[in-house]
């Protein structure tokens, strides 16, 4: 079994992006600029946004963080989105999800200019993704595609089972794995909360991608010998022995599953850092460097 070291792979990608930024700077052109909007004080969201800002600093991207109260009215948040759409200096921006329940996430996402939608959540980008047209791909699934590519994992003709059908992870992941691309060209099964005999589907998977948000759901008996397992889940479990009071767990019971598979992503250090690498790659594309090959 080999661990897929997402942290290391993402660092190489960030270094490549950093070199590109230096080139841009040296030629006197505008440095790519990513903005993030953080609504309220959800601790996990704060951690993710801080990691994104840190990655910008590391690569030389310009970054702007806009924080608002969790009580912000939807109309005011829409105002911030419009400002960012109109700001010529901002190349791309994200509104960190989840949003407080009084705000309609779809309305916010649809207000983002598709050209600046570096999280790849806008219906225009998702539609183009389905049609295999150039677009900004959803960051987490894009990061996972980069993992397959960087690790030289052959996905063609394989049975890929995706667990979870959210619009930001599971559904776009299933589309990307089924597209006529490399990586891609899989036969895909998308499982969700209403799937019957989910364990049987899992056991038939050559590639299993878990994105349900249920800690350690996938156990050893659910995985075929030699499968590739990608664990997207980031769950906080109470752990009084930690200074933070919690530990991170994926959707996969790592100790049971790892010995059975050929490759597996750890949590943390697997998909998480790749999401950030994909986000910055999207920002570079949004800044006009569309052919950037990472
Ligand atoms: P979500 O809650 O929006 O979606 C979960 C999906 O899982 C749903 O489609 C639901 O149908 C499915 N599901 C729930 N219970 C199920 C069950 N018993 N059997 C089968 N399917 C079931 O979650 P999300 O936003 O897609 O995130 C999923 C996980 O991935 C979370 O832990 C989240 O923190 C993590 N995540 C990680 C990254 C990263 O960068 N690593 C990025 C985004 C999300």
């Amino acid at each position: 079994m080999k661990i897929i070291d997402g942290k290391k792979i993402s660092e190489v990608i960030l270094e490549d992006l950093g070199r590109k930024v230096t080139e841009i700077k040296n030629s006197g052109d505008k440095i790519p600029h990513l903005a993030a909007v953080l609504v309220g004080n959800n601790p996990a969201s704060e951690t993710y946004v801080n990691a994104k800002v840190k990655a910008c600093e590391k690569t030389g991207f310009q970054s702007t963080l806009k924080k608002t109260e969790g009580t912000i009215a939807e109309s005011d948040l829409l105002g911030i989105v419009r400002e960012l759409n109109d700001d010529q200096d901002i190349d791309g921006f994200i509104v960190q999800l989840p949003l407080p329940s009084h705000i309609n996430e779809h309305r916010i996402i649809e207000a983002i200019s598709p050209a600046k939608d570096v999280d790849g959540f806008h219906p225009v980008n998702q539609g183009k993704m389905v049609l295999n047209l150039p677009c900004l791909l959803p960051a987490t699934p894009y990061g996972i595609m980069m993992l397959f590519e960087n690790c030289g994992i052959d996905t063609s003709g394989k049975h890929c089972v995706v667990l979870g059908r959210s619009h930001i992870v599971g559904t776009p992941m299933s589309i990307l794995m089924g597209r006529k691309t490399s990586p891609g060209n899989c036969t895909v099964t998308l499982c969700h909360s209403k799937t019957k005999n989910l364990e049987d589907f899992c056991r038939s998977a050559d590639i299993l991608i878990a994105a349900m948000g249920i800690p350690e759901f996938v156990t050893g008996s659910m995985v075929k010998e030699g499968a590739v397992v990608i664990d997207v889940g980031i769950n906080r479990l109470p752990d009084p022995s930690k200074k933070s009071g919690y530990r991170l767990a994926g959707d996969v019971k790592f100790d049971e599953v790892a010995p059975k598979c050929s490759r597996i992503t750890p949590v943390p250090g697997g998909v998480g850092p790749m999401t950030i690498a994909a986000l910055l790659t999207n920002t570079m594309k949004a800044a006009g460097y569309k052919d950037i090959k990472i």
Side-chain angles (χ1 to χ4, degrees):
M1 178 275 299
K2 264 193 181 168
I3 301 269
I4 301 176
D5 191 342
K7 187 162 182 282
K8 205 162 157 190
I9 296 169
S10 73
E11 278 167 4
V12 173
I13 294 171
L14 293 186
E15 278 166 22
D16 283 350
L17 287 171
R19 272 191 287 277
K20 183 73 190 161
V21 173
T22 307
E23 256 176 50
I24 294 169
K25 220 187 249 177
N26 290 345
S27 56
D29 292 329
K30 189 186 115 25
I31 296 167
H33 189 169
L34 171 68
V37 183
L38 178 61
V39 179
N41 47 13
N42 174 327
S45 294
E46 281 179 345
T47 307
Y48 300 146
V49 165
N50 289 339
K52 289 165 189 174
V53 170
K54 222 165 128 192
C56 283
E57 285 164 4
K58 206 168 160 181
T59 44
F61 280 54
Q62 226 184 306
S63 69
T64 295
L65 176 55
K66 282 190 184 284
K67 287 187 183 185
T68 81
E69 296 291 331
T71 51
I72 187 172
E74 185 180 288
S75 55
D76 291 338
L77 185 56
L78 283 168
I80 293 176
V81 168
R82 277 188 220 106
E83 266 173 37
L84 291 168
N85 282 341
D86 293 342
D87 187 334
Q88 296 299 310
D89 200 66
I90 305 277
D91 297 297
F93 67 97
I94 63 160
V95 179
Q96 184 67 43
L97 302 181
L99 293 171
S101 56
H102 67 279
I103 296 176
N104 182 324
E105 281 185 0
H106 289 295
R107 218 170 279 150
I108 301 298
I109 290 168
E110 285 184 33
I112 297 173
S113 158
K116 293 192 177 188
D117 166 42
V118 286
D119 251 343
F121 296 161
H122 192 282
V124 166
N125 281 315
Q126 297 242 358
K128 286 184 175 176
M129 171 190 69
V130 172
L131 298 172
N132 207 358
L133 295 170
C135 63
L136 296 168
L137 292 174
T140 298
Y142 183 22
I144 294 170
M145 297 308 273
M146 287 175 167
L147 277 185
F148 289 127
E149 188 159 26
N150 274 273
C151 297
I153 295 169
D154 180 17
T155 59
S156 182
K158 302 283 165 64
H159 182 207
C160 174
V161 173
V162 180
L163 305 178
R165 61 177 160 188
S166 75
H167 294 145
I168 64 172
V169 188
T171 295
M173 193 71 246
S174 69
I175 301 289
L176 289 177
M177 292 305 277
R179 289 197 320 185
K180 193 176 177 182
T181 54
S182 177
N185 279 322
C186 285
T187 305
V188 180
T189 303
L190 180 59
C191 295
H192 46 76
S193 52
K194 298 287 183 285
T195 299
K196 290 192 176 126
N197 305 325
L198 180 137
E199 284 85 354
D200 291 341
F201 285 114
C202 291
R203 274 188 286 271
S204 73
D206 302 306
I207 299 170
L208 182 61
I209 303 178
M212 291 168 297
I214 304 180
E216 301 179 337
F217 178 92
V218 177
T219 57
S221 64
M222 290 163 69
V223 177
K224 179 163 91 174
E225 282 294 336
V228 173
V229 176
I230 306 292
D231 190 352
V232 186
I234 304 179
N235 308 290
R236 290 181 175 208
L237 297 183
D239 185 344
S241 73
K242 302 270 182 204
K243 204 170 136 199
S244 59
Y246 67 85
R247 72 177 173 90
L248 290 182
D251 285 358
V252 174
K253 207 166 195 170
F254 186 88
D255 293 347
E256 270 183 38
V257 172
K260 291 188 81 175
C261 36
S262 57
R263 309 257 196 149
I264 186 167
T265 57
V267 177
V271 174
M274 292 305 295
T275 297
I276 296 180
L279 177 71
L280 265 60
T281 305
N282 272 345
T283 306
M284 188 62 99
K285 289 182 178 174
Y289 302 94
K290 295 208 173 8
D291 296 330
I292 182 104
K293 181 78 191 140
I294 298 296

